[in-house]
Amino acid sequence: MITLKDVKPGQTVLVDSVKVTGQARGRFMAMGIMKGTKLKVIKVAPMGDPIEVLVKSYNLSFRKAEAEQIIVILQ
Amino acid sequence: MSAINVALAGNPNTGKSTIFNALTGARQHIGNWPGVTVDKKVGQLIKGNKQVNIVDLPGTYSLSAYSLEERIVKDYLVDEKPDLVVNVVDASNIERNLYLTVQLLELGVPTLITLNMMDEAKSKGYEFDIEVLSQQLGTPVISSVATSKDGLQQLINSLDSSTVKQSKEVGSPLLAEHIKQVAALRKSGKDSELVEEEIIESRYLFINNVLEKALVAKEGVQSWNDKLDNFVTNRILGLPIFIAIMYLLFQATFAWVGQPISDLLDEFVSTNLTDWASGALIAIGAADWLQSLVIDGIIAGVGSVVVFVPLIFTLFFLISFLDGTGYMARVAFIMDRAMNRIGLSGKAFLPMLIGFGCTVPAIMGARALDTERDRRIAVLIAPFMSCGARLPVYALFAALFFPGRESVVVLSLYLLGIAMAILMGLVFKSTYFKGEAEPFLMELPPYRIPTMKTVLLQTWEKGKAFLIKAGTIIFSMSVLIWLLSSYNFSGPAEMQDSLLAAIGGVIAPLFAFHGFGSWQSGVAVLTGILAKEAVVSTLGVLYGVAEVAEEAVAAATQMKASIGATFTSLSAYAFMVFTLLYTPCMAVLGTIKKELGSWKWTLFAAAYTFALAWIVSLLIYQGGLLLGFGG
């Protein structure tokens, strides 16, 4: 089982499940991150956090703390 | 026919504001939604003899009340029931943009969809069948490009009663099916969080079904955008590029454009305008007190603030431009890690940085933060970023008491300010503003070249707010301070015998254990609340120097004998620390009142900074005495 945090820039993954809880869960899902979504990790910020991800043809950034709670399957 | 009320809704970064500006032009007004720091923009479009009232709703990704903006939009749609909602959709990012659209359609508000950014969508390889899109969504769709005249004209033509009628009537089998499903989910009696999730999934499913028929996607090419982004936020080059851009921003504001114009204006106000006004007043035979009120009170007081206007306009012009290009989101992306350590998001970095120039735009910049809580905290700690007006005070005292070590002394004050901002930020986070932190979730919009109209309008809005303040709050405070400094109970008086001096004497004992308990320092502290640089000129007047030299070293020589007798190096340092931390100036307090919309918070900001300054500078003085730095 790997999480989005472990995915290297340039790799594409499928979201298996979103373990983020509370209100944040709804926000992630509304932004299009849910089971079955295809994601591509674009890059990591110069200081090592947050990360930038391509989702549904736009770029979104969030912290590794949340990326760690997104379970993914490597494509 | 009566006017049509139209609301613009859409995601952030879709060109919604550009469309609003193009529709309303100068016929717009920016206020606040009641009680919160979110812009409320309203404007009018005149079409022949008809009027269209337009509200630009805050940009949101959904209507789910995850944020203040989303609540505002939803409440507005439900309570105010606009005749037509124009939903601006970024065609190059249509899937996520339609999420808000689906929620609008679920609410049943009459919606006209405007596909924007068609050129970008095309370069990504997207082609739309607008007819099919409209049929599937069950609501009218037009394609418009905010930056082209044709697209805009098509939108203007659509803003009429027939579109309103049309948008109310249509529907589609697909939409009806979706709405039925959502209703069934809500009634299912399952756990509410689970229901919410399934509804979100069903919305994206609906969007997929619509796009399957209406969108022909081809393979796009890697755009110049991706290449630029790889360069600008590069792991190695990202930080140096960022520092270079910030350096240029400050240089342009404080060295190349803003400051020179400010200096010219200052020169004009303090010589030409003053001479002209005093000449005119003498010519009409005005009484001495009136001359003094106008010249020493109003012109000097308001003038000292108006000279900041070019600085503020330049800074906001550059920030609005950078914001329009999409770089500001990258600033937050690059700096988030560092800001997160002190409990704020990357978006708080810019306001704090601007604070080193002037606290007023810093506080106005706090609007960009995600939550009301973050905005309040940023507003409360921004004054500790030592602003440019405090520098003359440090420069004078450092030159007097720490010759040869000026830079170290001044640097230590800047660092102390940052430390206090971090400390107070953490204190606020863990006390009054306690609660679950919002996760950082930010779109990195494509790089775009902003339209000049939007940049100029944004600059004007912020600059205007500052001008209005100079005309109201600062005007009245100037008159008050002048009254206090020119009169006592028996009539006109010199400053040292004035009411202000008396008040200075009353508050002086407050600083008895700080090493600067003279009435002169008391008065300087008071006038410093009007404007920080007034601390130096006040001390100049009180210690009998007619015209305080501009240059710190020359001023220091002038005042050496007099100030040197009242201060020691330790008490001078304690006084500088107090100046750094205590109650921000009138212009800042006025801005805080406007941004936080509450006297309670404004008074709190004035009082807690004073208390903190009092404590810290006391600790430094007494600690210094104990360590033997008293001489």
Side-chain angles (χ1 to χ4, degrees):
Chain A
M1 189 184 84
I2 61 164
T3 72
L4 189 58
K5 190 185 167 216
D6 313 315
V7 180
K8 301 223 158 22
Q11 284 184 319
T12 304
V13 296
L14 264 185
V15 175
D16 183 58
S17 64
V18 180
K19 303 280 184 207
V20 180
T21 54
Q23 209 188 47
R25 185 179 177 84
R27 286 183 63 201
F28 271 85
M29 289 185 71
M31 295 301 273
I33 295 185
M34 58 186 74
K35 187 179 164 71
T37 309
K38 202 166 112 181
L39 301 176
K40 184 180 178 190
V41 176
I42 303 292
K43 68 164 82 78
V44 179
M47 285 191 245
D49 203 16
I51 61 170
E52 178 177 351
V53 170
L54 177 72
V55 45
K56 297 191 189 295
S57 76
Y58 78 98
N59 293 11
L60 185 65
S61 82
F62 45 88
R63 294 186 183 135
K64 284 182 172 170
E66 273 78 38
E68 202 174 13
Q69 301 174 58
I70 298 173
I71 317 292
V72 296
I73 304 159
L74 278 178
Q75 283 303 92
Chain B
M1 200 208 112
S2 62
I4 304 179
N5 295 314
V6 172
L8 287 185
N11 287 187
N13 314 307
T14 51
K16 195 165 65 69
S17 294
T18 308
I19 289 186
F20 177 75
N21 291 332
L23 289 176
T24 61
R27 274 185 301 276
Q28 56 169 275
H29 169 79
I30 288 96
N32 266 7
W33 294 91
V36 293
T37 46
V38 178
D39 283 340
K40 179 178 185 175
K41 301 192 201 173
V42 292
Q44 278 91 40
L45 165 72
I46 309 291
K47 272 171 67 180
N49 57 355
K50 285 185 191 130
Q51 187 180 332
V52 182
N53 297 321
I54 305 173
V55 176
D56 187 16
L57 296 172
T60 59
Y61 295 109
S62 79
L63 294 180
S64 312
Y66 296 131
S67 71
L68 198 61
E69 282 80 0
E70 294 178 0
R71 255 197 314 278
I72 289 171
V73 174
K74 181 151 190 192
D75 288 350
Y76 183 85
L77 296 175
V78 173
D79 300 338
E80 306 290 323
K81 297 191 174 52
D83 298 318
L84 184 66
V85 176
V86 173
N87 177 206
V88 181
V89 165
D90 175 357
S92 70
N93 178 13
I94 191 158
E95 197 178 347
R96 195 209 62 213
N97 269 256
L98 284 182
Y99 186 81
L100 177 70
T101 311
V102 178
Q103 286 191 297
L104 291 171
L105 297 175
E106 282 173 22
L107 265 186
V109 291
T111 306
L112 167 70
I113 293 167
T114 304
L115 285 182
N116 203 16
M117 312 280 178
M118 286 297 267
D119 39 353
E120 279 179 34
K122 210 170 193 175
S123 76
K124 268 192 178 174
Y126 290 179
E127 264 175 51
F128 297 95
D129 188 328
I130 290 180
E131 197 75 12
V132 174
L133 189 62
S134 172
Q135 275 166 20
Q136 295 296 323
L137 288 170
T139 204
V141 179
I142 59 170
S143 126
S144 80
V145 179
T147 46
S148 94
K149 279 246 150 54
D150 291 350
L152 191 68
Q153 196 53 48
Q154 204 195 342
L155 175 59
I156 292 174
N157 293 342
S158 308
L159 298 180
D160 57 17
S161 46
S162 76
T163 311
V164 173
K165 199 158 159 262
Q166 200 191 343
S167 66
K168 276 183 183 151
E169 281 166 0
V170 292
S172 78
L174 202 59
L175 180 66
E177 177 67 24
H178 169 70
I179 289 176
K180 221 162 80 188
Q181 199 188 346
V182 169
L185 278 168
R186 287 208 202 282
K187 269 190 277 179
S188 67
K190 278 193 270 187
D191 173 63
S192 68
E193 256 177 52
L194 198 66
V195 168
E196 202 46 49
E197 260 170 50
E198 288 182 13
I199 292 177
I200 295 174
E201 281 170 0
S202 101
R203 283 176 189 141
Y204 271 111
L205 197 66
F206 170 73
I207 294 167
N208 274 334
N209 289 336
V210 169
L211 290 180
E212 218 163 73
K213 301 192 174 74
L215 173 69
V216 193
K218 290 186 199 148
E219 196 58 38
V221 284
Q222 197 203 18
S223 62
W224 57 274
N225 236 301
D226 299 336
K227 288 176 197 150
L228 180 64
D229 194 54
N230 281 338
F231 179 65
V232 168
T233 58
N234 185 281
R235 191 102 204 218
I236 297 148
L237 292 174
L239 276 172
I241 290 174
F242 164 69
I243 291 167
I245 291 179
M246 290 300 120
Y247 176 77
L248 287 177
L249 180 80
F250 267 70
Q251 274 303 99
T253 307
F254 295 100
W256 298 334
V257 187
Q259 193 66 57
I261 303 177
S262 281
D263 288 346
L264 283 177
L265 194 63
D266 189 21
E267 180 74 22
F268 173 76
V269 170
S270 59
T271 59
N272 302 30
L273 185 66
T274 307
D275 291 348
W276 177 84
S278 88
L281 287 167
I282 291 169
I284 60 164
D288 282 352
W289 67 265
L290 184 62
Q291 287 182 36
S292 171
L293 169 65
V294 173
I295 309 235
D296 306 328
I298 298 171
I299 295 184
V302 176
S304 70
V305 177
V306 168
V307 295
F308 284 115
V309 169
L311 272 182
I312 294 203
F313 271 81
T314 312
L315 188 60
F316 272 120
F317 176 81
L318 295 170
I319 289 173
S320 301
F321 179 81
L322 276 182
D323 196 29
T325 62
Y327 187 69
M328 284 309 177
R330 270 75 188 182
V331 171
F333 177 69
I334 292 172
M335 292 311 294
D336 182 65
R337 175 107 202 226
M339 297 305 288
N340 190 16
R341 293 246 164 95
I342 60 168
L344 283 169
S345 100
K347 293 179 191 174
F349 180 78
L350 192 78
M352 295 301 146
L353 184 71
I354 293 170
F356 288 121
C358 177
T359 314
V360 172
I363 285 171
M364 290 160 116
R367 244 166 218 245
L369 300 184
D370 278 333
T371 62
E372 192 71 357
R373 177 177 105 151
D374 279 10
R375 280 171 210 153
R376 287 211 169 126
I377 293 175
V379 164
L380 289 176
I381 64 173
F384 297 134
M385 302 288 129
S386 187
C387 74
R390 280 173 256 195
L391 193 56
V393 185
Y394 310 153
L396 172 73
F397 279 86
L400 255 173
F401 295 97
F402 303 94
R405 283 174 296 155
E406 289 100 333
S407 341
V408 183
V409 166
V410 174
L411 182 66
S412 75
L413 289 162
Y414 276 84
L415 294 177
L416 179 69
I418 297 171
M420 283 298 139
I422 293 173
L423 181 74
M424 291 318 292
L426 290 174
V427 167
F428 287 135
K429 278 255 149 165
S430 52
T431 54
Y432 187 83
F433 295 100
K434 211 168 171 167
E436 196 193 345
E438 292 273 324
F440 179 78
L441 192 61
M442 182 185 65
E443 182 184 2
L444 291 166
Y447 291 94
R448 287 169 181 144
I449 297 165
T451 58
M452 247 327 122
K453 190 169 186 175
T454 302
V455 172
L456 288 174
L457 273 168
Q458 275 179 13
T459 310
W460 170 240
E461 280 159 28
K462 307 250 164 166
K464 193 174 68 178
F466 186 76
L467 280 174
I468 291 171
K469 230 163 16 234
T472 53
I473 299 177
I474 298 166
F475 176 83
S476 28
M477 284 312 293
S478 304
V479 172
L480 181 68
I481 296 274
W482 171 83
L483 258 176
L484 292 174
S485 67
S486 337
Y487 285 87
N488 59 27
F489 289 115
S490 47
E494 290 298 308
M495 202 194 230
Q496 44 270 36
D497 305 315
S498 68
L499 276 172
L500 191 65
I503 299 171
V506 170
I507 68 161
L510 265 180
F511 307 111
F513 303 105
H514 290 62
F516 51 89
S518 66
W519 68 266
Q520 288 95 333
S521 323
V523 173
V525 164
L526 285 179
T527 54
I529 296 180
L530 187 64
K532 293 285 157 171
E533 63 272 42
V535 169
V536 171
S537 54
T538 305
L539 288 174
V541 172
L542 297 180
Y543 287 110
V545 182
E547 180 78 12
V548 182
E550 287 266 317
E551 219 228 314
V553 179
T557 327
Q558 285 177 337
M559 293 197 224
K560 194 162 184 72
S562 46
I563 293 194
T566 13
F567 285 93
T568 64
S569 0
L570 182 60
S571 68
Y573 192 77
F575 185 73
M576 285 192 279
V577 167
F578 188 82
T579 307
L580 161 72
L581 299 175
Y582 88 113
T583 309
C585 73
M586 287 311 302
V588 171
L589 290 175
T591 313
I592 294 179
K593 165 71 181 65
K594 180 154 185 297
E595 290 298 306
L596 297 187
S598 125
W599 280 113
K600 190 187 89 182
W601 282 108
T602 312
L603 289 175
F604 174 73
Y608 102 91
T609 47
F610 193 94
L612 185 74
W614 192 87
I615 294 167
V616 174
S617 95
L618 179 70
L619 288 177
I620 285 178
Y621 185 70
Q622 293 298 333
L625 282 183
L626 281 177
L627 294 172
F629 293 121

